Amino acid sequence: MLMTTNEPVGAGDLAEGEAAALYRLMTWMSPAFPVGGFSYSSGIEWAVEAGDIIDTATLADWLDAMLGDGSGFCDATFLVHAYRAAESGETDALNEIAELASAFVPSRERQLETTSQGRAFIDIARAAWDADGLEATVAACSAPLVYPVAVGVVAAMHAVPLAPTLHAFLHALVSNWISAASRLIPLGQTDSQRVLVRLEAAVAATANRALKATLDDLGSATFRADLASLRHETQYTRLFRS
């Protein structure tokens, strides 16, 4: 039976704090949130041209590797550590994390991608979704806040729980990759959703690993994906900025 507006709120409904956190996560991780994610493919454009990605199966395999063994896991780990440093007010540690995350990017275009999105995320959060301590925390960092670090800092300042923040971030990351691929291969809407379904377990596994990972656990083994982001810089015809 559907609940009407005249009926009391039941025990199974969201508490006020939970509803606020969910509302913010849905907004921040939405494709409509203006960080410019639609402009970037993270090297997928070159992989399609090179014939590495040609259909849903090859796309799912490529993205699964990026999630578990490449930038997905690294970004997730940086988000976790940035969140915890910001939450505890450890600005020196946060600055070191921001510097490491910025240095970890393997190509110039990926550097542009993550720093531009991070800067946009912080600017929009301060303008429309400000929180106590956010301005001072950002100002304490001398290094640019790349995208996962920016998300971790903002979520911590808003007291949005870490685990759902991380899961939402990875879902948005994968969705953006699939969106880029759908325009390049191309894929239909149903096939794009099939790829997202196939990656559900990988997103959960990557999030769980990142929550337990130390900075010493960081590392990437997706050499072909890194090569794709490097070679995209000289690709003759391009739709995307990375």
Side-chain angles (χ1 to χ4, degrees):
M1 178 179 177
L2 293 176
M3 184 178 70
T4 69
T5 55
N6 294 324
E7 292 175 335
V9 176
D13 294 301
L14 289 175
E16 183 178 353
E18 293 174 328
L22 179 60
Y23 188 88
R24 293 171 198 197
L25 276 181
M26 290 172 66
T27 301
W28 297 338
M29 298 294 105
S30 166
F33 199 69
V35 295
F38 62 89
S39 300
Y40 305 99
S41 78
S42 300
I44 291 171
E45 184 166 19
W46 183 86
V48 171
E49 182 175 289
D52 291 37
I53 299 175
I54 58 174
D55 54 20
T56 56
T58 51
L59 175 61
D61 288 344
W62 183 278
L63 299 187
D64 182 73
M66 286 181 69
L67 264 175
D69 300 309
S71 60
F73 170 70
C74 293
D75 282 356
T77 302
F78 284 126
L79 188 157
V80 168
H81 284 270
Y83 182 104
R84 290 171 177 162
E87 183 182 39
S88 59
E90 299 175 3
T91 53
D92 289 343
L94 177 61
N95 191 51
E96 291 178 2
I97 292 164
E99 288 180 346
L100 181 60
S102 181
F104 228 75
V105 185
S107 69
R108 182 180 62 179
E109 287 191 347
R110 280 282 292 117
Q111 181 79 18
L112 170 67
E113 175 182 337
T114 191
T115 54
S116 296
Q117 289 187 263
R119 183 170 56 251
F121 192 88
I122 289 292
D123 288 346
I124 297 161
R126 287 190 295 191
W129 298 88
D130 204 7
D132 291 341
L134 177 57
E135 182 76 29
T137 300
V138 172
C141 294
S142 59
L145 300 187
V146 298
Y147 188 42
V149 173
V151 172
V153 168
V154 171
M157 293 295 96
H158 281 266
V160 177
L162 174 56
T165 296
L166 180 59
H167 207 97
F169 171 81
L170 288 174
H171 178 275
L173 186 66
V174 169
S175 297
N176 192 70
W177 289 342
I178 293 172
S179 175
S182 71
R183 287 170 274 171
L184 292 164
I185 296 175
L187 295 178
Q189 293 180 344
T190 301
D191 280 338
S192 295
Q193 290 301 306
R194 290 189 177 113
V195 176
L196 193 59
V197 168
R198 285 187 58 179
L199 293 172
E200 181 178 355
V203 166
T206 300
N208 290 335
R209 280 180 61 209
L211 286 168
K212 302 171 186 175
T214 69
L215 293 177
D216 290 336
D217 294 322
L218 285 164
S220 173
T222 52
F223 304 114
R224 187 70 173 173
D226 293 340
L227 182 64
S229 70
L230 290 166
R231 290 191 170 178
H232 185 268
E233 295 178 4
T234 58
Q235 194 169 336
Y236 182 73
T237 303
R238 301 187 302 176
L239 296 176
F240 295 90
R241 300 182 70 187
S242 71

